[in-house]
Amino acid sequence: MKLPRALSLRHGSLRKRLLLGTLAWMALAMAVAGWGLRGLFQEHVNQQLQGELVRQLDQLSASVNLDAAQRVEVLPMAGDARLNAPLSGLYWQVDLLPEQGPAQLGVLRSRSLWDQVLPLPRDTAFPGTTRSGHAVLQLRDSQNHQLVAVSRPLQLPEAEAPLLRLTVAADQALVAEPVQRFTTMLLAALGTLALGLAVAVAVQLQLALQPLDLLRQRLATVRNGEATQLDGQFPDELQPLINEFNHVLAANADIVQRARTQAGNLAHAVHTPLSILGNAAAQDDTPLARLVQEQVATAQRQVDHHLARARAAAAIRATGLRTPVQGPMQALLRTMQRLHAARSVQFVQVGEAAPALAFRGEAQDLFEMLGNLLDNAGKWARSQVQLGVQRDGDLLCFTVDDDGPGIPPAERQRIFERGERLDEQRPGAGLGLDIVRELAQTYGGSVQADSAPLGGLRMRLCLPAVATEATRPASH
């Protein structure tokens, strides 16, 4: 099921959330700023155009006169050259407003109007004017172009002079063109600014989140057993967290150490009376003495088993555990070679050496598990026991092969049961493989029996491995 986008962002990358949030607000700010600046510029251009039209209207008002025949005329004026260019977009027009009847439009007009007249109302009622004495109108010419016009009435001082309406108009395109150019430049400027800010935000986020990547690396070193504390220079905002985490690590290590000490004290306290009982029973050969000796031995094995399990449970909760496997493997092979020397069984390591492989747990527990497996294989082997190890993902898998008679597949699971012995003639109490299984499961591993290439039994023990540089997750 696909999560909603909001929920996925909430639990996704912190860098992505910060970057997307910043870019979204930045885009919104740029859009509002662009819209506001464009509106201000357009208003400024409109006011400039109206101001220019008013100046043209003033010049036109000064140039209107009555000739000797009492006809309205417009004297030559030093105006804009566009007034003489046909359909240039800048026009003036003089209308006659008689006392009765409709207005006579375009009795005089600029050459730029050519054969057209401005579509002004024909009623003689003049629209409301502004404080400056002119009215602002919105018109459309015969070609459906939007025009902005300023108009005012004019009464010449002569007694017989008619009421006139003077109008100067300009095409709205004179405003649209500079606004369009300004919009293009504004978009380019805001786009460049947005790109620069986006790069700056990305760089800032990278620099701001670098301490978190360093923290991840330091945590990995603690988890892999390469350090017991978080070391390094961190920002002031993270340093309290680092200090608290180091306190937790120290407290955890102290708890584990106290648990180990208490387990050792318990082992010593129980071992002494058991030894006394065993020694006392060994001095007598009565059935009761033999029973006491047998029960003391069983109790001693049970104490050792449960103490080992408690120690492993405490160790698996601890951080920083790291046990290279090459040294314990070689030491156990030498020990087993001497222990089974009477039977001339050879204990050898097969495969490549494993100096870089490490078990994420206690060395004592690794000795316990491999020692039991090798000892059990030595009891059944005819001439050879082989020990190998290889990495399988996050696990270290040890193989112990012997060339003994082997075990039928139907019987292989029974050998891990407590006290189970398939051959009563062989030495042992049937607890070693059960201890191996419980210790392996405590660490989150497993042990299983299979057929060995040598013809006997193969024991495969898989335990958690310490992450190496090649298996650690890449930084993001």
Side-chain angles (χ1 to χ4, degrees), residues 262-454:
Q262 292 173 1
N265 293 339
L266 178 60
H268 180 73
V270 174
H271 181 73
T272 299
L274 288 177
S275 298
I276 295 174
L277 289 175
N279 293 335
Q283 297 176 4
D284 199 354
D285 195 26
T286 63
L288 178 60
R290 288 194 296 272
L291 177 61
V292 171
Q293 282 184 306
E294 180 182 344
Q295 295 303 315
V296 166
T298 301
Q300 185 65 57
R301 287 193 297 269
Q302 292 287 346
V303 169
D304 292 341
H305 163 67
H306 287 290
L307 286 177
R309 184 175 179 182
R311 185 178 62 249
I316 199 63
R317 290 177 175 86
T319 56
L321 295 178
R322 177 186 176 89
T323 301
V325 301
Q326 185 64 21
M329 288 173 61
Q330 293 296 321
L332 285 170
L333 290 175
R334 291 191 297 268
T335 300
M336 294 299 161
Q337 188 69 51
R338 291 193 296 267
L339 183 62
H340 296 271
R343 299 183 56 245
S344 300
V345 177
Q346 298 294 318
F347 289 81
V348 296
Q349 180 178 346
V350 296
E352 299 180 359
L357 299 181
F359 161 55
R360 187 155 55 87
E362 288 280 359
Q364 189 172 353
D365 294 330
L366 181 62
F367 274 100
E368 180 86 12
M369 290 181 280
L370 286 182
N372 275 307
L373 294 179
L374 288 169
D375 185 44
N376 184 74
K379 294 174 183 177
W380 292 89
R382 295 187 176 94
S383 61
Q384 190 178 50
V385 175
Q386 295 181 351
L387 173 62
V389 62
Q390 62 180 358
R391 179 133 193 166
D392 186 5
D394 294 333
L395 297 174
L396 285 181
C397 290
F398 300 87
T399 55
V400 179
D401 298 337
D402 64 67
D403 59 353
I407 299 176
E411 302 291 332
R412 289 171 184 167
Q413 191 60 32
R414 287 180 53 199
I415 62 177
F416 296 105
E417 298 178 4
R418 181 179 300 276
E420 189 69 34
R421 297 174 60 190
L422 299 184
D423 188 351
E424 296 294 337
Q425 303 300 319
R426 303 280 178 173
L431 293 175
L433 295 182
D434 179 63
I435 293 175
V436 173
R437 181 184 64 177
E438 292 206 10
L439 280 176
Q441 290 177 350
T442 302
Y443 276 105
S446 63
V447 61
Q448 60 184 11
D450 203 351
S451 299
L454 297 178

Side-chain angles (χ1 to χ4, degrees), residues 23-253:
L23 292 180
W25 281 110
M26 189 171 65
L28 179 61
M30 290 293 177
V32 172
W35 175 79
L37 290 175
R38 184 182 183 278
L40 290 175
F41 182 77
Q42 186 173 15
E43 181 65 22
H44 172 70
V45 173
N46 282 329
Q47 291 180 358
Q48 274 196 327
L49 179 61
Q50 290 182 20
E52 178 65 24
L53 293 178
V54 170
R55 286 192 293 271
Q56 295 286 348
L57 184 61
D58 292 340
Q59 290 188 10
L60 179 61
S61 299
S63 301
V64 175
N65 196 10
L66 287 178
D67 60 8
Q70 298 296 309
R71 291 177 302 183
V72 179
E73 65 176 354
V74 176
L75 300 177
M77 57 182 183
D80 197 310
R82 289 174 294 178
L83 293 172
N84 295 320
L87 304 177
S88 64
L90 183 62
Y91 318 104
W92 62 260
Q93 178 174 296
V94 177
D95 302 329
L96 182 62
L97 302 180
E99 294 181 1
Q100 294 183 353
Q104 299 178 21
L105 301 182
V107 293
L108 294 172
R109 57 184 181 271
S110 63
R111 294 190 61 185
S112 58
L113 274 173
W114 201 242
D115 58 351
Q116 302 179 26
V117 295
L118 296 176
L120 293 167
R122 289 184 175 272
D123 56 348
T124 57
F126 197 79
T129 60
T130 63
R131 291 183 179 180
S132 58
H134 64 269
V136 179
L137 307 174
Q138 297 293 330
L139 308 174
R140 286 190 177 276
D141 61 11
S142 59
Q143 297 177 343
N144 202 32
H145 293 164
Q146 183 73 31
L147 303 177
V148 57
V150 291
S151 181
R152 69 159 61 114
L154 178 64
Q155 181 69 58
L156 294 175
E158 288 79 3
E160 301 298 329
L163 179 63
L164 304 177
R165 179 173 60 192
L166 310 184
T167 304
V168 178
D171 196 331
Q172 193 69 34
L174 298 177
V175 174
E177 290 178 2
V179 169
Q180 182 62 38
R181 290 195 302 269
F182 175 80
T183 302
T184 302
M185 292 187 295
L186 181 63
L187 289 177
L190 290 179
T192 303
L193 178 60
L195 180 61
L197 289 177
V199 173
V201 168
V203 172
Q204 185 178 15
L205 284 178
Q206 180 66 26
L207 295 177
L209 295 179
Q210 272 185 350
L212 295 181
D213 186 63
L214 177 61
L215 176 59
R216 182 196 62 79
Q217 296 175 11
R218 294 295 184 265
L219 285 173
T221 60
V222 172
R223 178 176 60 86
N224 296 330
E226 301 171 9
T228 58
Q229 295 279 292
L230 295 177
D231 300 323
Q233 297 294 327
F234 293 93
D236 294 340
E237 292 78 8
L238 284 180
Q239 195 59 48
L241 174 63
I242 303 302
N243 295 338
E244 292 297 327
F245 200 86
N246 283 334
H247 289 326
V248 171
L249 290 175
N252 184 59

